[in-house]
Amino acid sequence: QIYQAFASDSEATALRKAYADGIAWGDAKQILFERIDREIAPMRAMYEALMADPAKVEAILLAGAVKARKLSQPFMARLRNAVGLRALASANTAAVKSKKTDKATLPSFKQYREADGRFYVKFVDAAGKLLLQSAGFDSPKDAGQLVRSLHIDDASIASLTLGEGASAETVKTALQQLRDAA
């Protein structure tokens, strides 16, 4: 079976015939050794040549490293940037900071659950001043649907309570700021 792994079909047939004719085990082992040696000899010669010339091995490894870096560095740079591993002085941090600042200057919706178990929505301006307050909802889904409807149009404003000092006009203006920012 070992011989068949290395030999051609005709060589395997010849060895099988030799077994049938009564070849000795020692002779069969010698034939197996010679066949494996013929197969492995070129690989052994290459190994010995490389081991005799460590500088050549080093050059091959360095060339591979250059090729790998050429492929991997752009990807790794994008990956590091995506997960936030970048230089503090990079322009991307300024862009992220300005996005956060822009979000902070927009009005926003707050959804929360009170001790009574009901879900509420309030709409506040950029400074945190209350513009609208909802009545309680039995499910968070209903509260979320109110928020969604307010993102689309102003029709639901009439069913909500205006915050102290807020007018329907200031609420409409704040809602339009959100729509424009989206």
Side-chain angles (χ1 to χ4, degrees):
Q1 287 178 344
I2 296 172
Y3 188 78
Q4 284 177 333
F6 290 92
S8 67
D9 289 338
S10 62
E11 290 172 324
T13 304
L15 184 61
R16 195 173 297 118
K17 185 176 184 314
Y19 269 121
D21 292 342
I23 190 172
W25 283 104
D27 294 337
K29 287 181 183 178
Q30 185 61 37
I31 292 171
L32 174 62
F33 168 75
E34 289 170 1
R35 182 62 189 105
I36 292 173
D37 190 51
R38 270 190 311 215
E39 190 75 27
I40 295 177
M43 292 179 251
R44 185 182 304 121
M46 175 64 96
Y47 171 79
E48 289 171 357
L50 289 172
M51 294 310 292
D53 191 3
K56 183 177 179 181
V57 173
E58 187 71 21
I60 292 169
L61 292 173
L62 290 174
V66 167
K67 184 177 177 182
R69 276 190 206 94
K70 183 179 176 183
L71 295 172
S72 67
Q73 280 181 334
F75 172 74
M76 290 303 295
R78 285 194 325 267
L79 181 64
R80 284 187 179 107
N81 188 44
V83 298
L85 298 175
R86 55 188 169 264
L88 294 176
S90 76
N92 289 340
T93 55
V96 169
K97 185 177 180 181
S98 70
K99 284 181 186 177
K100 287 181 182 177
T101 317
D102 291 346
K103 277 190 173 182
T105 61
L106 291 174
S108 62
F109 289 97
K110 310 288 183 186
Q111 289 180 249
Y112 57 96
R113 186 176 197 174
E114 281 289 339
D116 64 1
R118 301 199 63 172
F119 298 89
Y120 294 85
V121 174
K122 64 181 173 181
F123 184 54
V124 296
D125 68 6
K129 180 184 171 194
L130 180 66
L131 299 174
L132 287 176
Q133 176 68 51
S134 74
F137 293 96
D138 292 328
S139 77
K141 182 178 179 183
D142 294 336
Q145 287 174 340
L146 171 67
V147 171
R148 183 168 183 239
S149 71
L150 287 168
H151 274 289
I152 296 170
D153 62 46
D154 303 335
S156 302
I157 292 175
S159 64
L160 303 171
T161 305
L162 288 172
E164 189 177 324
S167 67
E169 202 53 46
T170 58
V171 171
K172 288 179 182 181
T173 303
L175 285 169
Q176 191 58 47
Q177 285 177 334
L178 274 181
R179 291 180 197 127
D180 293 343

